[in-house]
């Protein structure tokens, strides 16, 4: 009876090890396949139509878009938001699995300071496709971006505090110099009298 229990435990342990190896290999293959999946999605009809809508200089409704030909095919979140007013454009994004908050998060991740980022159409679509594959990816990127913003704010506050402390030290030094100068002036006034 003990022998059968031992054999059962060993078989269970070996099966767990083999399962772990298989899962690890499958995860590595999926990571390698992410680039291929992105390239295949970029050839998708919906993505091609979306690229034409965003880069073509016209919305799918036929009215002029806010894309400026002088920017070299680059656009901002405000311009994408104009395109999102068109139901056909929103439908294209939905077909490829992208929601409005994905798009907004993508632009937020690119933002540095107060400057609104400009993105090339192909870079925008490729970046959104990479982020849409796993919710974990966009959550991680958003968390990193929020952390970066927090660190930037803290750095600005620290610089401001250092400037204020330097100003206070300077004022203290000046008042100390005035205090040391007052007795010398009084001493000189006594000698003159």
């Amino acid at each position: 009876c003990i022998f059968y229990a031992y054999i059962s435990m060993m078989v269970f342990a070996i099966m767990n090890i083999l399962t772990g190896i298989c899962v690890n290999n499958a995860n590595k293959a999926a990571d390698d396949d992410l680039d291929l999946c992105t390239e295949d999605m970029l050839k998708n009809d919906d993505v091609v139509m979306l690229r034409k809508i965003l880069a073509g200089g016209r919305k799918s409704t036929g009215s002029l878009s806010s894309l400026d030909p002088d920017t070299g095919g680059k656009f901002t979140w405000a311009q994408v938001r104009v395109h999102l007013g068109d139901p056909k454009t929103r439908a294209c994004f939905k077909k490829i699995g992208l929601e409005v908050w994905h798009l907004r998060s993508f632009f937020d991740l690119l933002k540095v300071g107060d400057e609104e980022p400009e993105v090339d159409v192909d870079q925008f679509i490729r970046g959104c496709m990479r982020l849409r594959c796993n919710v974990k990816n966009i959550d991680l990127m958003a968390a990193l971006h929020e952390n970066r913003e927090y660190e930037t704010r803290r750095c600005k506050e620290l610089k401001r505090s250092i400037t204020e402390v330097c100003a206070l030290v300077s004022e203290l030094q000046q008042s100390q110099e005035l205090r040391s100068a007052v007795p010398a002036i009084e001493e000189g006034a006594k000698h003159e009298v």
Side-chain angles (χ1 to χ4, degrees):
C1 185
I2 294 176
F3 178 72
Y4 290 119
Y6 174 75
I7 294 296
S8 297
M9 293 300 282
M10 292 307 290
V11 168
F12 180 73
I14 290 172
M15 292 304 285
N16 274 341
I17 291 170
L18 290 176
T19 302
I21 291 171
C22 290
V23 168
N24 190 29
N25 288 337
N27 282 336
K28 285 182 182 177
D31 287 342
D32 292 339
D33 193 45
L34 177 64
D35 292 331
L36 295 174
C37 177
T38 302
E39 290 299 323
D40 287 343
M41 278 300 286
L42 288 174
K43 295 175 186 171
N44 183 337
D45 292 337
D46 296 321
V47 175
V48 170
M49 186 166 82
L50 191 59
R51 182 182 290 131
K52 287 179 183 176
I53 290 170
L54 293 174
R58 292 188 177 274
K59 288 174 46 179
S60 59
T61 58
S63 63
L64 289 175
S65 77
S66 57
L67 287 180
D68 185 6
D70 296 336
T71 62
K74 294 187 177 195
F75 56 94
T76 63
W77 167 245
Q79 293 165 329
V80 170
R81 197 172 43 211
V82 168
H83 286 290
L84 289 173
D86 180 20
K88 288 183 181 179
T89 305
R90 279 197 315 269
C92 285
F93 278 118
K94 274 211 181 271
K95 283 182 183 177
I96 61 175
L98 293 172
E99 298 290 336
V100 174
W101 71 271
H102 286 119
L103 306 175
R104 181 66 198 156
S105 294
F106 180 74
F107 275 95
D108 286 343
L109 291 172
L110 296 176
K111 192 173 188 176
V112 178
D114 295 332
E115 189 175 316
E116 186 70 28
E118 289 186 345
V119 182
D120 183 55
V121 173
D122 288 331
Q123 289 175 333
F124 171 70
I125 291 175
R126 187 178 303 272
C128 287
M129 297 304 292
R130 289 190 64 86
L131 288 175
R132 77 158 189 83
C133 291
N134 276 330
V135 175
K136 293 178 186 175
N137 288 346
I138 195 151
D139 290 339
L140 178 62
M141 296 299 285
L144 287 172
H145 180 69
E146 288 172 6
N147 188 33
R148 219 177 293 136
E149 282 184 349
Y150 175 75
E151 287 177 4
T152 303
R153 256 194 328 267
R154 294 290 296 158
C155 186
K156 286 180 182 178
E157 289 173 7
L158 185 61
K159 286 180 181 178
R160 187 171 28 92
S161 297
I162 289 173
T163 304
E164 290 173 2
V165 167
C166 287
L168 289 174
V169 167
S170 176
E171 287 177 23
L172 284 174
Q173 287 176 343
Q174 288 175 354
S175 66
Q176 192 72 344
E177 290 172 2
L178 287 175
R179 285 184 189 159
S180 62
V182 168
I185 293 173
E186 290 176 357
E187 186 80 26
K190 287 181 185 177
H191 289 294
E192 289 180 11
V193 175

